[in-house]
Amino acid sequence: MQGDVDQQVEQFTETLLSVQNRWVSHKQHRTKATDQPWFGPQCCTASNDKYRDWRRYKRHPTRHNRTLLRAATARLVTTQAWAREQWEECLRKKLRGGNVGSKQWWGLVKDAQGEAHESSIPPLIQADGTTVHLTKDKVDLLAQHFAGKMTVPDPTRAPPSLPVVAGGKLTSFSLSEAEVRASLSALEEVKAVGPDGVSPRVLRRCSKELTSPLTKLFRAILHHNQWPRLWKTSHVVPVHKKGSRSEVTNYQPVSLLSVISKVLEGIITQRLTTHLEEQYLLSERQFGFRKGRSAADLNLLLVNEWSDALDQGRPTAVLALDIVGAFDQVWHPALVERLYAAGLSGGALKLLRHYLLERHLKVVHNGLQSPPCNIEAGVPQGSVLGPLLWNIYINDLLNLVPSAKAYADDVTVSVSFAPGDETSTISHLNTILHRLEIWGRRWQVSFAPHKTHLIVVSRTRHDIRLFFNGAFLAPSKELKILGVTYDDKLTFKPHIMQLARTTAGQLASLRRISWLLDNRRRELLYKAQIRSTLEYSCLAWGGAEPSHIAVLDKVQRRAERIIWDGQQRQPGALQCLQHRRDVAGLTTFFKAQVRRTPHLNQLRQAERRTEVFTRTVAAEPGALALHRSHSTHHQRQFTQVYTRLWNCLLASDSCPNHLTNTTVGLQRFKVLVHRWLSSVRDSDTED
């Protein structure tokens, strides 16, 4: 490969595509939205033959032509029956596969139920009220709409200067052949092909042969600190969100980028993440796109904080902020300034600056593409590096507001106060909101006041009204944060009822395709796709009323009837949901108490200082102090429940002496807890 970076990438891509097109079997088949999922090329050919013979018979209704028409009709019927049988068998294999993801599985469920994927876009209404009907006009309109959102109010303004806060410098990126080989081997073959046409299946299956040339290509890019022009193009597929399908604003973009580009991005992301974590530059209150952290952890910490305040008689005002555009409106010069402040300089900073600039998108629909539209702001959607760049950009906001916690762009601010301090609390919250307004204007980040919600977690009513971005915020009864619905009393009844309705619909879908699967496969799909929904952030809402929790047990019993379909149920096939919640709870408690996981410090409990001897509490080394609860509601919350269980585990014969050793693995601890809880429940059942 010769020439500059762009020429080398183009040469490599052309060579790889020529090999791919010659040696990888492929076939193109155009379908319509009304076609059945099993109506493939063979059916299309048979249908065209029948239509041709029908036209011939209509022109010349002879006996010979009628015989030909009947033969063509019979071939079409036979071909359709064969195609449907092959499609059902293929669907069975896909549904039985152990590596089927949630999104892919529900797509297969819809196909099996005959629900065709609506891919057509109806006539779209423009801003002036006129309507566009041609596909070419539709993709142009959607491209202009998506590109119009990826901008900031004043893109030419100079960003504020920031001091360098990093103790170390990151001046360049490096890589090895082993890293490239590992990245290629880890690619998912089912992922979509990017704009360059290179298939991830080819990259993965030919990883041994492609490692050396790709390593040379990547090193040339890192040496020149220039991101290839070919990798700056994204193909955007418009996906309808909700509302009228004729409104352009009701569509969201799904970007497809070059797979080879993502391989290099992944290696750079690892280097940049290591630098940021070694320098402690990312806030501990950011839970999104961080290894070892999840939305469930953030939900648990929020509930733990609010329930403790509620038990002490202290109300908590909770604000869920909404950032307009978020990832689409990241100001590029400001992001480069933040990277410089984080210790990036030299070739590393030059490469990331070039990575952000001169990007453009093309909307693709029904085989047509829009002209390229320039992207003036935002982190590249669908990229590997984009989420980390967003965390760097938003990190300053978390440092500005110490009471804020975030998962990606979902920022939650909570402030507890004494019942008589409403006036000072309102003033304090308005001050926080005013700081956010100033910060937003400085960094060209917009907040949507009509999508910013407020609740007051309290046993009594509090009239708290706030002013944000020219609008008043009044408390509501419910608030949804990261998929969990919180009510102002922390009962979680609305969330559990909605969860039961959602999973009931999923079970109905499973029942309608149960004829394709045996008992073991139905059980596997329930565990992977439906039970995971029942258990999402379960440690946060696990302290709800037992009568509310019992609703979810009914859902699982309904699932058992669908799985075994009147046959003999295998004992112990489906674990009790409470048992699984307890295993997860003690494991999380173990990470906080023994492994000292930093972001779970809030859950850590102090050891008991004095020996306590009662009939119900044993004095064991390492036993933890149990804080007094003023209500039964607080007794059901995470720290109270699992502090008691932890002490019982320490006092049991099943507990090894080295349980509190940090070298104990999580998997080993889970097995230990599972066996102990099973033995306890078995003994309770016998009694």
Side-chain angles (χ1 to χ4, degrees), residues 165-183:
V165 295
K169 295 286 186 178
L170 180 61
T171 58
S172 62
F173 297 108
S174 61
L175 51 82
S176 64
E177 286 196 3
E179 289 177 308
V180 176
R181 175 75 179 274
S183 299

Side-chain angles (χ1 to χ4, degrees), residues 386-583:
L388 179 59
L389 295 179
W390 167 260
N391 279 350
I392 295 172
Y393 192 72
I394 203 70
N395 192 68
D396 193 35
L397 183 147
L398 298 177
N399 296 331
L400 179 69
V401 184
S403 56
K405 294 183 176 68
Y407 185 89
D409 61 327
D410 293 317
V411 183
T412 304
V413 179
S414 54
V415 176
S416 300
F417 59 94
D421 292 344
E422 289 187 11
T423 303
S424 59
T425 302
I426 293 173
S427 176
H428 176 59
L429 288 173
N430 279 326
T431 301
I432 291 177
L433 294 176
H434 183 61
R435 288 180 188 169
L436 292 175
E437 290 182 32
I438 297 175
W439 181 88
R441 288 194 294 268
R442 186 183 184 195
W443 298 102
Q444 301 201 58
V445 176
S446 302
F447 295 91
H450 61 284
K451 292 184 178 180
T452 298
H453 300 287
L454 166 69
I455 64 168
V456 180
V457 179
S458 174
R459 295 192 179 95
T460 58
R461 187 171 180 272
H462 295 271
D463 187 18
I464 293 182
R465 294 182 178 274
L466 305 177
F467 188 76
F468 185 39
N469 267 359
F472 286 97
L473 304 179
S476 56
K477 292 291 185 181
E478 297 177 5
L479 174 63
K480 192 168 185 178
I481 300 176
L482 301 176
V484 177
T485 302
Y486 297 90
D487 58 285
D488 55 2
K489 301 292 190 300
L490 287 187
T491 65
F492 293 104
K493 181 179 179 181
H495 176 73
I496 293 176
M497 295 301 109
Q498 180 59 43
L499 194 59
R501 287 191 292 269
T502 300
T503 51
Q506 294 175 343
L507 282 177
S509 297
L510 179 61
R511 185 185 68 250
R512 286 193 287 269
I513 65 165
S514 59
W515 60 277
L516 285 167
L517 306 167
D518 55 19
N519 296 350
R520 189 171 68 87
R521 298 301 177 182
R522 289 197 289 263
E523 178 186 347
L524 176 64
L525 288 176
Y526 166 73
K527 290 179 178 179
Q529 308 297 338
I530 301 177
R531 189 171 68 181
S532 59
T533 303
L534 286 172
E535 295 179 337
Y536 173 72
S537 289
C538 61
L539 299 182
W541 48 262
E545 288 278 356
S547 59
H548 299 159
I549 298 291
V551 175
L552 303 182
D553 297 328
K554 292 182 180 179
V555 174
Q556 175 147 297
R557 288 194 292 271
R558 191 182 311 152
E560 291 175 349
R561 294 193 293 271
I562 294 173
I563 292 170
W564 286 281
D565 194 19
Q567 303 176 17
Q568 181 65 32
R569 178 185 182 277
Q570 299 177 4
L574 290 183
Q575 295 176 351
C576 171
L577 293 177
Q578 185 59 50
H579 174 87
R580 292 179 57 81
R581 285 193 291 268
D582 288 342
V583 172

Side-chain angles (χ1 to χ4, degrees), residues 74 76 128 172 200 219 221 228 244 254 256 328 374 452 464 489 512 514 530 562 588 591 639 655 677:
L76 176 60
D128 58 2
S172 62
R219 284 174 176 168
I221 294 171
S244 173
V254 175
L256 302 177
D328 292 336
N374 294 330
T452 298
I464 293 182
K489 301 292 190 300
R512 286 193 287 269
S514 59
I530 301 177
I562 294 173
T588 302
K591 290 194 292 185
T639 52
C655 178
L677 289 173

Side-chain angles (χ1 to χ4, degrees), residues 17-35:
L17 285 178
S18 64
V19 174
Q20 177 178 301
N21 294 332
R22 180 177 180 182
W23 298 106
V24 179
S25 59
H26 59 282
K27 192 179 294 184
Q28 290 186 351
H29 170 61
R30 294 182 66 86
T31 61
K32 298 179 293 185
T34 55
D35 287 345

